[in-house]
């Protein structure tokens, strides 16, 4: 049914608005202060102070700057926590730029392979358009970092520090995607004109050389050998010389990323609890580890998170940070903004409805560094962000328990904390979700 807006209908709307005194008060508050400030709830701010009964992580926060590397920063924060504990050192930092380089290189090769695999489809097909829309980007998930670390290892930040193009990846992504789309044109033509496998392979190899050159110019060239040196809290100096990055990870870091599992809470009919899921076209490298998710009830997810925190280890997680978050104060609270009172509207949706209708999905990864428990129940959670130390409490944020229930989608915990049933479910054949599912880490992270 088509019904155009008429001047009469608009005049009725205006009359209705002006007849309500509350609208005038709300308009004055919003036009003067903005919607969020006008709706901010001071009580919620007071309730979410930075005191926690379990607090496992206090090191200096990192800063991903203007890039979508939150998943990478957060994972490396978990690894560096182990290094600091293992060697009795403070504020050690691993190079995010080093893995960023290889993530970009692998994603380029992954894109070429997917273009070959879809060369028989029409250019207008949903698969091909998805690939061309974002040939590569900054986003990712836990299992993608496992693939990178196992293949390329880790290096201290001082061995490959940030560059201008890693701190702001916009220009690099623009130029690299332009090249990959141009290469896709050639590849599809080669496949559809019956070029030999050797000819196609040679073309891809040539293009990867060019991608490597672009990345080296923009990010710097990754080191082949490094020195792992530090001074511990007792002022003792230690130096391990001439290590490969893989040697550093395998021999000098007491952590195996395969010991962890991704646990999610997505309450939708299409993703039943106690089942395992993967998402197609969500990897970052050919033959890399797929993103495998075990979907559980929220209470179970919280129990697993608390188990790991009680063991003295922080927890990687992904959430929708765009909802009910005061960035400067570092507070995530479901009651932070009184939008219902400001607009006299009900925005109610279930978590599953928000997910299905793309109102809410994982947009950012951080680390849970503590929790406050009262009468055996969590009330709020300490969060280590990667946006520098000028937000919240020196870069740490607080997430109230209701916000966690509504907007947290995944955590990564040690498999040892899973129940026998959960471990068995994790090993079952996974249901493969289409690439347009919101759990796809291709979704831009901030």
């Amino acid at each position: 049914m088509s019904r155009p807006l008429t001047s009469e209908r608009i005049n009725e709307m205006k009359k209705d608005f002006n007849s309500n005194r509350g609208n005038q008060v709300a308009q004055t508050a919003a036009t003067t202060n903005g919607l969020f400030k006008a709706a901010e709830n001071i009580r919620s701010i007071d309730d979410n102070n930075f005191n926690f009964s379990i607090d496992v992580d206090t090191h200096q926060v990192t800063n991903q700057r203007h890039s979508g590397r939150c998943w990478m920063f957060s994972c490396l924060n978990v690894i560096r926590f182990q290094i600091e504990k293992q060697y009795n050192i403070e504020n050690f930092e691993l190079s995010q730029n080093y893995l960023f380089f290889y993530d970009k290189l692998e994603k380029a090769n992954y894109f070429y392979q997917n273009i070959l695999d879809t060369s028989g489809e029409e250019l207008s097909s949903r698969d091909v358009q998805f690939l061309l829309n974002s040939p590569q980007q900054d986003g990712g998930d836990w299992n993608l970092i496992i693939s990178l670390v196992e293949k390329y290892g880790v290096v201290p930040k001082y061995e490959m520090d940030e560059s201008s193009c890693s701190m702001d990846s916009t220009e690099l992504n623009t130029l690299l995607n332009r090249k990959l789309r141009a290469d896709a044109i050639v590849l599809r033509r080669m496949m559809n004109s019956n070029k030999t496998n050797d000819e196609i392979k040679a073309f891809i190899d040539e293009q990867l050389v060019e991608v490597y050159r672009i990345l080296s110019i923009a990010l710097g060239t990754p080191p082949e050998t490094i020195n792992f040196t530090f001074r511990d809290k007792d002022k003792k100096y230690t130096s391990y010389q001439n290590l490969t990055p893989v040697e550093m990870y395998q021999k000098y870091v007491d952590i195996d990323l395969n010991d962890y599992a991704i646990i999610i809470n997505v309450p939708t009919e299409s993703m039943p609890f106690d089942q395992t899921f993967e998402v197609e076209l969500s990897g970052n490298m050919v033959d890399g580890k797929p993103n495998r998710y075990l979907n559980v009830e929220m209470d179970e997810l919280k129990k697993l998170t608390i188990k790991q925190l009680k063991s003295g280890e922080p927890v990687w997680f992904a959430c929708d940070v765009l909802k009910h978050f005061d960035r400067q104060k570092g507070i995530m609270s479901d009651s932070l903004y009184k939008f219902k009172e400001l607009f006299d509207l009900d925005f109610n949706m279930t978590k599953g409805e928000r997910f299905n209708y793309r109102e809410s999905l994982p947009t950012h990864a951080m680390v849970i560094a503590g929790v406050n428990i009262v009468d055996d129940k969590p009330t709020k959670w300490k969060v280590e962000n990667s946006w520098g130390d000028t937000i919240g409490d020196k870069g740490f944020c607080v997430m109230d328990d209701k916000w966690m229930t509504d907007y947290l989608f995944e955590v990564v915990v040690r498999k040892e904390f899973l129940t026998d049933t959960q471990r068995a479910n994790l090993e079952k054949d996974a249901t493969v979700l289409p690439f347009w599912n919101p759990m796809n880490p291709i979704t831009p992270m901030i």
Side-chain angles (χ1 to χ4, degrees):
M1 180 179 67
S2 176
R3 187 186 179 195
L5 276 173
T6 64
S7 57
E8 289 80 6
R9 289 182 65 197
I10 294 174
N11 285 332
E12 289 174 5
M13 296 175 195
K14 182 177 180 181
K15 182 179 179 181
D16 179 71
F17 178 86
N18 290 332
S19 66
N20 187 319
R21 182 176 177 274
N23 289 339
Q24 308 301 319
V25 175
Q27 183 184 68
T28 299
T31 54
T32 302
N33 303 290
L35 297 179
F36 285 81
K37 286 294 182 183
E40 196 162 56
N41 178 12
I42 190 66
R43 183 70 259 168
S44 179
I45 295 172
D46 292 340
D47 289 341
N48 287 287
N49 55 66
F50 287 85
N51 296 311
F52 306 90
S53 58
I54 298 175
D55 192 338
V56 302
D57 192 352
T58 58
H59 58 201
Q60 291 178 1
V61 299
T62 53
N63 195 339
Q64 69 189 75
R65 306 290 180 177
H66 191 65
S67 70
R69 298 175 292 164
C70 58
W71 59 287
M72 185 178 292
F73 269 68
S74 300
C75 180
L76 291 178
N77 283 338
V78 171
I79 298 175
R80 76 165 177 148
F81 176 87
Q82 178 58 41
I83 293 174
E84 291 169 344
K85 180 180 177 182
Q86 183 177 345
Y87 294 101
N88 190 35
I89 54 181
E90 289 183 313
N91 300 319
F92 183 80
E93 196 167 343
L94 292 164
S95 171
Q96 302 89 3
N97 191 23
Y98 173 77
L99 289 182
F100 191 49
F101 181 103
Y102 284 115
D103 184 56
K104 295 291 188 190
L105 185 62
E106 289 284 357
K107 281 176 177 173
N109 188 50
Y110 185 69
F111 172 75
Y112 291 144
Q113 185 59 55
N114 286 322
I115 289 297
L116 295 181
D117 291 343
T118 58
S119 61
E121 300 182 26
E122 294 293 330
L123 182 62
S124 60
S125 78
R126 195 169 187 176
D127 290 353
V128 177
Q129 288 301 306
F130 171 77
L131 294 170
L132 296 178
N133 182 61
S134 184
Q136 64 76 47
Q137 34 61 53
D138 292 355
D141 213 327
W142 179 268
N143 279 3
L144 305 191
I145 206 81
I146 297 179
S147 298
L148 290 170
V149 170
E150 289 191 334
K151 187 170 182 178
Y152 298 104
V154 295
V155 306
K157 185 172 183 178
Y158 54 74
E159 290 283 357
M160 188 172 177
D161 209 338
E162 296 283 78
S163 80
S164 177
C165 297
S166 67
M167 291 187 289
D168 187 342
S169 60
T170 306
E171 295 173 347
L172 174 59
N173 284 329
T174 298
L175 292 174
L176 190 52
N177 283 337
R178 181 182 298 176
K179 172 181 172 44
L180 294 178
R181 292 187 183 104
D183 294 342
I185 296 173
V186 178
L187 279 175
R188 283 178 60 86
R189 287 174 179 169
M190 293 180 74
M191 287 292 290
N192 293 320
S193 60
N194 298 318
K195 294 292 184 180
T196 66
N197 289 338
D198 287 343
E199 289 174 311
I200 293 170
K201 180 179 180 298
F203 175 77
I204 291 177
D205 288 344
E206 290 173 3
Q207 305 321 306
L208 288 173
V209 169
E210 292 187 356
V211 171
Y212 187 96
R213 184 170 67 249
I214 291 171
L215 295 175
S216 290
I217 291 171
L219 303 175
T221 304
E224 295 183 9
T225 60
I226 54 100
N227 298 324
F228 175 30
T229 62
F230 56 86
R231 192 177 297 277
D232 66 20
K233 295 178 183 178
D234 299 321
K235 308 303 181 183
K236 178 184 176 182
Y237 178 76
T238 302
S239 178
Y240 300 105
Q241 299 288 314
N242 298 318
L243 307 176
T244 68
V246 173
E247 282 178 327
M248 178 171 173
Y249 169 64
Q250 292 180 345
K251 297 181 180 180
Y252 294 91
V253 183
D254 188 17
I255 189 172
D256 184 350
L257 299 180
N258 289 292
D259 290 340
Y260 296 79
I262 306 178
I263 308 300
I264 64 172
N265 174 251
V266 180
T268 66
E269 291 184 4
S270 61
M271 297 177 64
F273 290 130
D274 304 317
Q275 292 189 23
T276 305
F277 300 90
E278 295 177 4
V279 183
E280 63 178 353
L281 296 179
S282 66
N284 64 338
M285 67 172 65
V286 176
D287 296 330
K289 290 185 179 295
N291 286 303
R292 174 176 284 252
Y293 308 97
L294 176 62
N295 199 17
V296 303
E297 298 273 4
M298 195 64 195
D299 285 347
E300 289 300 310
L301 183 149
K302 291 179 181 179
K303 288 178 183 177
L304 294 171
T305 303
I306 291 172
K307 283 182 181 180
Q308 185 153 310
L309 290 172
K310 285 185 174 180
S311 77
E313 184 175 351
V315 177
W316 186 101
F317 78 104
C319 65
D320 185 3
V321 78
L322 300 175
K323 301 297 187 295
H324 302 277
F325 177 42
D326 187 316
R327 182 182 181 123
Q328 291 306 311
K329 294 183 176 67
I331 294 174
M332 292 169 276
S333 172
D334 205 47
S335 60
L336 183 59
Y337 299 110
K338 294 186 175 183
F339 292 127
K340 184 178 186 300
E341 289 79 0
L342 182 66
F343 292 103
D344 194 23
L345 290 175
D346 192 344
F347 293 101
N348 280 346
M349 286 183 276
T350 66
K351 185 175 184 178
E353 289 170 339
R354 288 193 296 267
F355 183 83
N356 284 336
Y357 282 82
R358 293 184 173 267
E359 165 63 17
S360 184
L361 60 155
T363 58
H364 189 49
M366 296 180 281
V367 174
I368 297 177
V371 62
N372 193 61
I373 298 178
V374 178
D375 297 328
D376 294 326
K377 293 182 179 180
T379 62
K380 58 185 177 180
W381 305 75
K382 181 181 179 181
V383 173
E384 178 187 356
N385 205 346
S386 55
W387 290 350
D389 60 6
T390 60
I391 68 168
D393 182 16
K394 298 179 181 178
F396 286 89
C397 302
V398 58
M399 165 176 64
D400 74 21
D401 192 62
K402 179 65 165 60
W403 193 98
M404 180 183 191
T405 298
D406 287 344
Y407 299 111
L408 183 144
F409 289 96
E410 59 180 303
V411 296
V412 172
V413 296
R414 286 188 178 272
K415 295 176 183 176
E416 65 184 83
F417 297 126
L418 304 182
T419 65
D420 291 341
T421 300
Q422 289 168 343
R423 278 193 290 269
N425 289 336
L426 188 65
E427 297 304 318
K428 292 180 180 178
D429 290 340
T431 299
V432 179
L433 301 169
F435 56 79
W436 59 82
N437 186 281
M439 282 307 299
N440 194 330
I442 298 301
T443 301
M445 293 233 182
I446 57 177

